[in-house]
Amino acid sequence: MHDLETLNTGGYASTTHLKLTCPLPSGLPPAILTLGATLTHLDLSGTGLSSLPSEFGTSLPNLRILFLSSNNFSTFPSVLAQCASLEMIAFRSNGMTSIPEGSLPTKTLRWLILTDNQISTLPEDLGKCERLEKCMLAGNQLSSLPESMATGCNKNLALLRLSANRFETLPEWLFDLPKLAFLSFAGNPCVEKQTAAATAKAGTRFDLERIEWKNLELQETLGEGASGVISRGLWKQSAEYAEEVAIKVFKGGVTSDGTPRDEMAAVLAAGFHEGLITVLGRVVGHPDEVVEGAAAEGGEEEKKKFQGGIVMQLIPEYYAALGLPPSFDTCSRDCFPEDASLSAAEALGMLTGIAGAAAHLHQRGIAHGDLYAHNILASKADRHALLGDFGAATIYGMDEEVYAGMEKLEVLAFAHLLEDVLGLIRREKDKKSTQTPEAETAIVVADAAPPAAFRDSSELTEEEEEAIVQGLEKLQKQCADPQVNARPSLEDIAVELEDLVGFRGMMRIPIPNLN
């Protein structure tokens, strides 16, 4: 965090990163334009800006990342086309209505965030952004995409968020883009019927409890994201019995992936699978419940109100995220701690479960949309993993021919996961090759361990481990085939992984018999 006074007195003359949060009623401080020699990251979100000076682009030739979210830009500033190095632009929640042709830095743009605005048309110039890898458009008024994207964005576009717009149909070419792996389009007219049908079916399942808010006791917060808060809690089922659970309370408003309402619909429609976190019931009777559509039509205070809630199984503490979210540099690919590693056996057990969970979702016409390592909770000792975070999920249904390629896009996401996990296996092998026997023993002892009843103590020979690695490498290439239709199905992937395991995976975390 920086301050305006120090900026104006030359205190940040050689800075590379600048962030101001104070109101800027007089517009962009001229002192910022003097930082062109070094400034690469600029964040002026929430400062009230509505325009940029004409010399902005030429004065900041090294600027790579620009955040101007929660401001008052009704029109995308054309001066940004003059920024010679600009790779990432964020204009979330500006009330923006138009993007003029010629305003995008087409040669350098890699990551574009326009979430939660009022944009109805995108410029054809977007198709000239051949480096574009990540495009966040949820929460606008779009009903079509520029045809230029079909050929111009087919080299690098990996992630596209179209949820909460006005699409009656999606272009067929979208499902042929060779690099597209993370797509979401929930909350559009084209999937309205499918979502309603899946929600109704989930609501009539005899085994899904309606859990009264008064019977829940919230304890410490386990995590918080754009769509809601997850807390540890107690579900008081009688005067004598209470079950430890996780409780997610959804908030209103549009997230970068979509809306909390669509996320909850997908979670409930997903049903039960060993590789998914079990939903025990949905919350009813919350004192702050809002009526249907109020969050979309109301102001900021309405959006903060309760938008629904679910009660889930509490995952053991020895489960942890398999990866870290993408960085500015990796853009659409996950990061991993330097000391993270997996054995071939651990990796295979986790991948088998995740492939099975993803196949289960698509058999129900649901795309996860965010199949990343950072959305997977994993236990090395259990050799087991759980797929979570349905914020980008889309219920696309089973009958629409235009969405037949949806699963094959998600297969590419699984290919990326395979590539990442193979990297973790190589790290483990490198680690073992440099360790003494005493060090290896110490690491095994230090690992968090689940109850002994869940452990799989079988060991693999070097030859068996090498066979697994070769099998995973072969599968990864098949899943990453640039010809989208040539990729295997998720069910085929799960079977292939089970064959590598040599048996059908056993259940690691007990869940209620709810099927």
Side-chain angles (χ1 to χ4, degrees):
M1 194 82 68
H2 302 88
D3 67 87
L4 187 58
E5 183 178 354
T6 304
L7 172 67
N8 288 333
T9 55
Y12 303 131
S14 60
T15 191
T16 58
H17 293 58
L18 180 69
K19 180 176 181 177
L20 297 177
T21 57
C22 59
L24 299 175
S26 300
L28 189 87
I32 291 178
L33 302 180
T34 67
L35 306 177
T38 58
L39 191 65
T40 60
H41 292 56
L42 178 60
D43 188 347
L44 300 176
S45 297
T47 57
L49 287 176
S50 59
S51 64
L52 296 175
S54 58
E55 65 271 29
F56 182 88
T58 53
S59 298
L60 301 173
N62 297 305
L63 187 65
R64 292 181 54 231
I65 296 170
L66 176 63
F67 282 95
L68 290 169
S69 295
S70 301
N71 281 311
N72 301 306
F73 286 86
S74 60
T75 300
F76 193 99
S78 296
V79 294
L80 296 185
Q82 302 169 23
C83 293
S85 305
L86 195 55
E87 296 184 11
M88 179 180 182
I89 303 173
F91 276 103
R92 176 176 175 149
S93 303
N94 268 264
M96 185 177 290
T97 58
S98 65
I99 307 175
E101 293 286 350
S103 60
L104 298 171
T106 55
K107 293 182 179 180
T108 56
L109 187 60
R110 193 176 172 211
W111 189 340
L112 179 63
I113 302 174
L114 297 171
T115 309
D116 191 24
N117 282 291
Q118 299 172 32
I119 301 165
S120 58
T121 305
L122 296 171
E124 286 294 325
D125 275 356
L126 192 60
K128 297 179 181 178
C129 300
E130 293 187 354
R131 294 192 66 211
L132 187 64
E133 189 173 333
K134 203 168 186 175
C135 190
M136 322 286 278
L137 302 171
N140 279 283
Q141 298 175 14
L142 297 169
S143 57
S144 64
L145 295 173
E147 284 297 319
S148 59
M149 291 181 68
T151 53
C153 294
N154 66 350
K155 293 182 179 178
N156 291 296
L157 187 61
L159 185 148
L160 181 61
R161 300 298 189 223
L162 300 175
S163 297
N165 274 285
R166 298 181 178 179
F167 288 91
E168 297 281 351
T169 60
L170 293 179
E172 292 184 19
W173 55 259
L174 197 59
F175 301 96
D176 293 326
L177 294 179
K179 295 292 184 70
L180 186 59
F182 309 99
L183 173 65
S184 64
F185 52 95
N188 279 284
C190 61
V191 288
E192 214 168 59
K193 292 180 181 178
Q194 296 92 318
T195 303
T199 303
K201 184 176 180 181
T204 57
R205 288 211 317 262
F206 72 92
D207 46 29
L208 190 63
E209 293 273 358
R210 292 169 59 85
I211 301 174
E212 291 285 344
W213 178 255
K214 64 183 180 182
N215 294 331
L216 296 173
E217 178 185 312
L218 268 64
Q219 298 174 342
E220 72 268 25
T221 298
L222 298 174
E224 182 171 2
S227 67
V229 180
I230 301 177
S231 304
R232 180 190 298 270
L234 291 176
W235 173 18
K236 300 173 184 177
Q237 300 179 36
S238 70
E240 296 78 26
Y241 178 73
E243 180 180 351
E244 280 196 307
V245 294
I247 303 164
K248 180 161 187 177
V249 174
F250 292 92
K251 298 182 293 188
V254 178
T255 73
S256 342
D257 298 326
T259 67
R261 188 175 297 278
D262 287 322
E263 178 182 351
M264 189 168 74
V267 169
L268 296 176
F272 304 99
H273 187 274
E274 179 196 349
L276 300 175
I277 298 170
T278 302
V279 177
L280 303 174
R282 63 187 304 170
V283 176
V284 296
H286 192 284
D288 293 331
E289 281 187 84
V290 296
V291 297
E292 184 80 21
E297 298 170 6
E300 289 304 312
E301 288 306 311
E302 270 314 299
K303 291 180 180 181
K304 294 176 184 177
K305 288 187 177 181
F306 176 82
Q307 297 295 315
I310 53 176
V311 178
M312 304 173 287
Q313 68 175 138
L314 184 63
I315 305 304
E317 293 182 357
Y318 53 81
Y319 276 70
L322 184 58
L324 302 173
S327 67
F328 291 136
D329 290 329
T330 65
C331 192
S332 65
R333 295 296 298 271
D334 268 343
C335 300
F336 294 85
E338 291 184 5
D339 59 348
S341 65
L342 288 172
S343 71
E346 291 163 350
L348 185 55
M350 295 174 187
L351 289 168
T352 303
I354 295 302
H360 167 85
L361 292 176
H362 282 276
Q363 286 164 3
R364 290 171 173 246
I366 303 170
H368 185 271
D370 219 13
L371 209 168
Y372 274 107
H374 72 263
N375 288 327
I376 294 172
L377 291 175
S379 165
K380 291 177 68 172
D382 279 348
R383 301 178 183 178
H384 178 249
L386 294 161
L387 180 61
D389 193 344
F390 278 64
T394 301
I395 301 174
Y396 63 90
M398 301 300 296
D399 302 325
E400 300 295 332
E401 186 177 343
V402 70
Y403 306 138
M406 193 66 194
E407 179 178 354
K408 298 301 179 76
L409 298 187
E410 198 120 282
V411 168
L412 180 57
F414 193 80
H416 295 333
L417 178 62
L418 278 168
E419 184 179 9
D420 290 338
V421 168
L422 281 164
L424 297 179
I425 294 174
R426 294 186 191 100
R427 285 188 188 179
E428 181 75 6
K429 291 179 70 175
D430 292 343
K431 190 187 298 184
K432 284 184 177 180
S433 67
T434 59
Q435 285 172 352
T436 63
E438 292 80 7
E440 289 184 15
T441 302
I443 287 177
V444 171
V445 171
D447 276 347
F454 295 148
R455 293 183 191 170
D456 183 350
S457 58
S458 62
E459 296 295 333
L460 298 176
T461 65
E462 287 188 14
E463 291 77 12
E464 288 171 330
E465 286 197 356
E466 184 59 31
I468 289 174
V469 170
Q470 290 179 3
L472 294 179
E473 289 174 341
K474 178 182 177 182
L475 184 59
Q476 194 277 332
K477 290 179 182 177
Q478 293 172 343
C479 294
D481 196 313
Q483 296 296 320
V484 178
N485 290 332
R487 296 169 189 163
S489 69
L490 285 161
E491 179 63 29
D492 289 341
I493 293 168
V495 170
E496 183 72 22
L497 291 169
E498 287 165 354
D499 287 344
L500 286 174
V501 172
F503 62 90
R504 293 261 166 185
M506 61 179 287
M507 187 173 293
R508 309 293 179 172
I509 295 183
I511 62 174
N513 184 17
L514 298 173
N515 287 309

